[in-house]
Coordinates of all heavy atoms in Angstrom, one line a residue:
C1 N 127.0 -44.8 -153.6 CA 126.8 -44.7 -155.1 C 128.1 -44.6 -155.8 O 128.4 -45.2 -156.8 CB 125.9 -43.5 -155.5 SG 125.5 -43.4 -157.2
H2 N 129.0 -43.7 -155.2 CA 130.3 -43.5 -155.9 C 131.3 -44.7 -155.6 O 132.1 -45.0 -156.4 CB 130.9 -42.2 -155.3 CG 130.3 -41.0 -155.8 ND1 130.7 -40.5 -157.1 CD2 129.3 -40.2 -155.5 CE1 129.9 -39.5 -157.4 NE2 129.1 -39.2 -156.4
L3 N 131.1 -45.4 -154.4 CA 131.9 -46.6 -154.2 C 131.5 -47.6 -155.3 O 132.4 -48.3 -155.7 CB 131.6 -47.1 -152.8 CG 132.4 -48.4 -152.5 CD1 133.9 -48.2 -152.4 CD2 131.8 -49.1 -151.0
A4 N 130.3 -47.7 -155.5 CA 129.8 -48.7 -156.5 C 130.4 -48.4 -157.9 O 130.8 -49.2 -158.6 CB 128.3 -48.7 -156.6
F5 N 130.5 -47.0 -158.2 CA 131.1 -46.6 -159.5 C 132.5 -47.0 -159.6 O 133.1 -47.5 -160.5 CB 130.9 -45.1 -159.8 CG 131.8 -44.6 -160.8 CD1 131.5 -44.8 -162.2 CD2 133.0 -43.8 -160.5 CE1 132.3 -44.3 -163.1 CE2 133.8 -43.4 -161.5 CZ 133.5 -43.6 -162.9
V6 N 133.3 -46.8 -158.4 CA 134.6 -47.1 -158.3 C 134.9 -48.6 -158.6 O 135.9 -49.0 -159.2 CB 135.3 -46.6 -157.0 CG1 136.7 -47.2 -156.8 CG2 135.3 -45.1 -156.9
D7 N 134.1 -49.4 -157.9 CA 134.2 -50.9 -158.0 C 133.9 -51.3 -159.4 O 134.6 -52.2 -160.0 CB 133.2 -51.6 -157.1 CG 133.7 -51.6 -155.6 OD1 134.9 -51.5 -155.5 OD2 132.8 -51.6 -154.8
F8 N 132.9 -50.7 -160.2 CA 132.7 -51.0 -161.6 C 133.9 -50.5 -162.4 O 134.3 -51.3 -163.3 CB 131.4 -50.3 -162.0 CG 131.2 -50.2 -163.5 CD1 130.8 -51.3 -164.2 CD2 131.4 -49.0 -164.2 CE1 130.7 -51.4 -165.5 CE2 131.2 -49.0 -165.6 CZ 130.9 -50.2 -166.2
Y9 N 134.4 -49.4 -162.2 CA 135.5 -48.8 -162.9 C 136.7 -49.8 -162.7 O 137.4 -50.2 -163.7 CB 135.9 -47.4 -162.5 CG 137.2 -47.0 -162.9 CD1 137.3 -46.3 -164.1 CD2 138.3 -47.0 -162.0 CE1 138.6 -45.8 -164.5 CE2 139.5 -46.5 -162.4 CZ 139.7 -46.0 -163.7 OH 140.9 -45.4 -164.1
G10 N 137.0 -50.2 -161.5 CA 138.2 -51.0 -161.2 C 138.2 -52.4 -161.9 O 139.1 -52.8 -162.5
T11 N 137.0 -53.0 -161.7 CA 137.0 -54.3 -162.3 C 136.9 -54.3 -163.8 O 137.4 -55.2 -164.4 CB 135.7 -55.1 -161.7 OG1 135.8 -56.5 -162.0 CG2 134.4 -54.6 -162.3
S12 N 136.4 -53.3 -164.4 CA 136.3 -53.1 -165.8 C 137.8 -52.9 -166.4 O 138.0 -53.1 -167.6 CB 135.4 -52.0 -166.2 OG 134.0 -52.3 -165.9
A13 N 138.6 -52.3 -165.6 CA 140.0 -52.1 -166.0 C 140.8 -53.4 -166.0 O 141.8 -53.4 -166.7 CB 140.7 -51.1 -165.1
I14 N 140.4 -54.4 -165.4 CA 141.1 -55.6 -165.2 C 140.4 -56.9 -166.0 O 141.1 -57.5 -166.7 CB 141.3 -56.0 -163.7 CG1 142.1 -54.8 -163.0 CG2 142.1 -57.4 -163.6 CD1 143.4 -54.6 -163.5
T15 N 139.2 -57.1 -165.5 CA 138.5 -58.4 -165.9 C 138.4 -58.5 -167.5 O 138.6 -59.7 -167.9 CB 137.2 -58.5 -165.2 OG1 137.4 -58.2 -163.8 CG2 136.6 -60.0 -165.4
P16 N 137.8 -57.6 -168.2 CA 137.7 -57.8 -169.6 C 139.0 -58.2 -170.3 O 138.9 -59.2 -171.2 CB 137.2 -56.4 -170.1 CG 136.5 -55.8 -169.0 CD 137.4 -56.3 -167.8
N17 N 140.1 -57.6 -170.0 CA 141.3 -58.0 -170.6 C 141.8 -59.4 -170.2 O 142.3 -60.2 -170.9 CB 142.3 -57.0 -170.3 CG 143.7 -57.3 -170.9 OD1 143.9 -57.2 -172.2 ND2 144.8 -57.6 -170.2
T18 N 141.5 -59.7 -168.9 CA 141.8 -61.1 -168.4 C 141.0 -62.2 -169.2 O 141.5 -63.2 -169.5 CB 141.4 -61.2 -166.9 OG1 142.2 -60.2 -166.2 CG2 141.8 -62.6 -166.3
L19 N 139.7 -61.8 -169.4 CA 138.9 -62.8 -170.2 C 139.3 -63.0 -171.6 O 139.4 -64.1 -172.1 CB 137.4 -62.3 -170.3 CG 136.7 -62.2 -169.0 CD1 135.4 -61.4 -169.1 CD2 136.4 -63.6 -168.4
V20 N 139.8 -61.9 -172.2 CA 140.4 -62.0 -173.6 C 141.7 -62.8 -173.6 O 141.8 -63.7 -174.4 CB 140.6 -60.6 -174.2 CG1 141.3 -60.7 -175.5 CG2 139.3 -59.8 -174.4
N21 N 142.5 -62.5 -172.6 CA 143.8 -63.2 -172.5 C 143.6 -64.7 -172.3 O 144.4 -65.5 -172.7 CB 144.7 -62.5 -171.5 CG 145.4 -61.3 -172.0 OD1 145.4 -61.1 -173.2 ND2 145.7 -60.5 -171.0
S22 N 142.6 -65.1 -171.6 CA 142.4 -66.6 -171.2 C 142.1 -67.3 -172.5 O 142.2 -68.6 -172.5 CB 141.3 -66.6 -170.2 OG 140.0 -66.2 -170.7
L23 N 141.6 -66.7 -173.5 CA 141.4 -67.3 -174.8 C 142.5 -67.3 -175.8 O 142.4 -67.9 -176.9 CB 140.0 -66.6 -175.5 CG 138.8 -66.6 -174.6 CD1 137.7 -65.9 -175.3 CD2 138.4 -68.1 -174.3
R24 N 143.5 -66.5 -175.5 CA 144.7 -66.4 -176.3 C 145.9 -67.2 -175.9 O 146.1 -67.4 -174.6 CB 145.1 -64.9 -176.4 CG 144.0 -64.0 -176.9 CD 144.3 -62.6 -176.7 NE 145.6 -62.2 -177.3 CZ 146.1 -60.9 -177.1 NH1 145.5 -60.0 -176.3 NH2 147.1 -60.5 -177.8
E25 N 146.6 -67.8 -176.9 CA 147.7 -68.6 -176.5 C 148.9 -67.7 -176.0 O 149.6 -68.1 -174.9 CB 148.2 -69.4 -177.7 CG 149.3 -70.3 -177.5 CD 149.8 -71.1 -178.7 OE1 149.0 -71.1 -179.6 OE2 150.8 -71.8 -178.6
I26 N 149.0 -66.6 -176.5 CA 150.1 -65.6 -176.2 C 149.4 -64.4 -175.6 O 148.8 -63.7 -176.3 CB 151.1 -65.2 -177.3 CG1 151.8 -66.4 -177.9 CG2 152.1 -64.2 -176.8 CD1 152.7 -66.1 -179.0
K27 N 149.5 -64.2 -174.3 CA 148.8 -63.1 -173.6 C 149.6 -61.8 -173.6 O 150.1 -61.3 -172.6 CB 148.5 -63.5 -172.2 CG 147.7 -64.8 -172.1 CD 147.6 -65.4 -170.7 CE 146.8 -66.6 -170.6 NZ 147.3 -67.7 -171.4
S28 N 149.7 -61.3 -174.8 CA 150.5 -60.0 -175.0 C 149.6 -58.8 -175.0 O 148.4 -58.9 -175.3 CB 151.3 -60.1 -176.2 OG 150.5 -60.2 -177.4
M29 N 150.3 -57.7 -174.7 CA 149.5 -56.4 -174.8 C 150.5 -55.3 -175.1 O 151.6 -55.3 -174.6 CB 148.8 -56.1 -173.4 CG 147.8 -55.0 -173.5 SD 146.9 -55.0 -171.9 CE 145.5 -53.8 -172.4
P30 N 150.1 -54.4 -176.0 CA 151.1 -53.4 -176.4 C 151.4 -52.5 -175.2 O 150.8 -52.4 -174.2 CB 150.2 -52.5 -177.4 CG 149.2 -53.4 -177.9 CD 148.9 -54.4 -176.8
F31 N 152.6 -51.9 -175.4 CA 153.2 -51.0 -174.3 C 152.3 -50.0 -173.8 O 152.1 -49.9 -172.6 CB 154.5 -50.4 -174.9 CG 155.4 -49.7 -173.9 CD1 156.4 -50.4 -173.2 CD2 155.2 -48.3 -173.6 CE1 157.2 -49.7 -172.2 CE2 156.0 -47.7 -172.7 CZ 157.0 -48.4 -172.0
Y32 N 151.7 -49.2 -174.5 CA 150.9 -48.1 -174.1 C 149.5 -48.6 -173.5 O 148.9 -47.9 -172.7 CB 150.7 -47.0 -175.2 CG 152.0 -46.3 -175.6 CD1 152.7 -46.6 -176.7 CD2 152.4 -45.3 -174.7 CE1 153.8 -45.9 -176.9 CE2 153.6 -44.6 -174.9 CZ 154.3 -44.9 -176.1 OH 155.5 -44.2 -176.4
A33 N 149.0 -49.8 -174.1 CA 147.8 -50.2 -173.5 C 148.0 -50.7 -172.2 O 147.3 -50.6 -171.2 CB 147.3 -51.3 -174.4
R34 N 149.3 -51.3 -171.9 CA 149.6 -51.7 -170.6 C 149.9 -50.6 -169.6 O 149.5 -50.6 -168.5 CB 151.0 -52.6 -170.8 CG 151.3 -53.2 -169.4 CD 150.3 -54.2 -168.9 NE 150.0 -55.2 -170.0 CZ 148.9 -56.0 -170.0 NH1 148.0 -55.9 -169.1 NH2 148.8 -56.9 -171.0
A35 N 150.3 -49.5 -170.1 CA 150.5 -48.2 -169.4 C 149.1 -47.8 -168.9 O 148.9 -47.3 -167.7 CB 151.3 -47.1 -170.1
T36 N 148.2 -47.8 -169.8 CA 146.8 -47.4 -169.4 C 146.1 -48.2 -168.4 O 145.5 -47.7 -167.5 CB 145.9 -47.5 -170.8 OG1 146.4 -46.7 -171.8 CG2 144.5 -47.0 -170.4
Q37 N 146.4 -49.6 -168.5 CA 145.9 -50.5 -167.4 C 146.5 -50.2 -166.1 O 145.8 -50.1 -165.0 CB 146.1 -51.9 -167.7 CG 145.4 -52.9 -166.9 CD 145.5 -54.3 -167.2 OE1 146.7 -54.8 -167.2 NE2 144.5 -55.0 -167.5
V38 N 147.7 -49.9 -166.1 CA 148.5 -49.6 -164.8 C 147.9 -48.3 -164.2 O 147.7 -48.3 -163.0 CB 150.0 -49.4 -165.0 CG1 150.7 -48.9 -163.8 CG2 150.6 -50.8 -165.4
C39 N 147.7 -47.3 -165.1 CA 147.2 -46.1 -164.5 C 145.8 -46.2 -164.0 O 145.4 -45.8 -162.8 CB 147.1 -45.1 -165.6 SG 146.5 -43.4 -165.2
C40 N 144.9 -47.1 -164.6 CA 143.6 -47.3 -164.2 C 143.5 -48.1 -162.9 O 142.8 -47.7 -162.0 CB 142.8 -48.0 -165.3 SG 142.4 -47.1 -166.7
F41 N 144.5 -49.1 -162.8 CA 144.5 -49.8 -161.6 C 144.9 -49.0 -160.4 O 144.4 -49.2 -159.3 CB 145.3 -51.1 -161.8 CG 145.4 -52.0 -160.5 CD1 144.3 -52.7 -160.2 CD2 146.4 -52.0 -159.7 CE1 144.3 -53.6 -159.1 CE2 146.5 -52.8 -158.6 CZ 145.4 -53.6 -158.3
I42 N 146.0 -48.2 -160.5 CA 146.5 -47.4 -159.4 C 145.4 -46.4 -159.0 O 145.1 -46.2 -157.8 CB 147.7 -46.7 -159.8 CG1 148.9 -47.7 -160.0 CG2 148.2 -45.7 -158.7 CD1 150.1 -47.0 -160.6
T43 N 144.7 -45.8 -160.0 CA 143.7 -44.9 -159.7 C 142.6 -45.5 -158.9 O 142.0 -45.0 -157.9 CB 143.1 -44.3 -161.0 OG1 144.2 -43.7 -161.7 CG2 142.0 -43.2 -160.7
F44 N 142.1 -46.7 -159.4 CA 141.1 -47.5 -158.7 C 141.4 -47.8 -157.3 O 140.6 -47.7 -156.3 CB 140.8 -48.8 -159.5 CG 140.3 -49.9 -158.6 CD1 139.0 -49.9 -158.1 CD2 141.1 -51.1 -158.2 CE1 138.5 -50.9 -157.4 CE2 140.6 -52.1 -157.5 CZ 139.3 -52.0 -157.0
S45 N 142.7 -48.2 -157.0 CA 143.2 -48.5 -155.7 C 143.1 -47.3 -154.7 O 142.6 -47.4 -153.6 CB 144.6 -49.1 -155.7 OG 144.7 -50.2 -156.5
V46 N 143.5 -46.2 -155.2 CA 143.5 -44.9 -154.4 C 142.1 -44.5 -154.2 O 141.7 -44.1 -153.1 CB 144.3 -43.8 -155.0 CG1 144.2 -42.6 -154.2 CG2 145.8 -44.2 -155.2
W47 N 141.2 -44.5 -155.2 CA 139.8 -44.2 -155.0 C 139.1 -45.0 -154.0 O 138.3 -44.5 -153.1 CB 139.0 -44.3 -156.4 CG 139.3 -43.2 -157.3 CD1 140.0 -42.1 -157.1 CD2 138.9 -43.1 -158.7 NE1 140.1 -41.2 -158.2 CE2 139.5 -41.8 -159.2 CE3 138.2 -44.0 -159.6 CZ2 139.2 -41.4 -160.5 CZ3 137.9 -43.6 -160.8 CH2 138.4 -42.3 -161.3
E48 N 139.4 -46.4 -154.1 CA 138.7 -47.3 -153.1 C 139.1 -46.9 -151.7 O 138.2 -46.9 -150.8 CB 139.2 -48.8 -153.4 CG 138.4 -49.8 -152.6 CD 137.1 -50.2 -153.3 OE1 136.9 -49.8 -154.5 OE2 136.5 -51.1 -152.8

């Protein structure tokens, strides 16, 4: 159950932003938003 939560958390930190960026000509993201994504992704990797 917790592995499923970790997988949901991890993909939600990456995929929605990827979907948005695929529709944008310039795939930019503010500095602190990018820091948040980095933190989420590292956390997901360790949890997994």
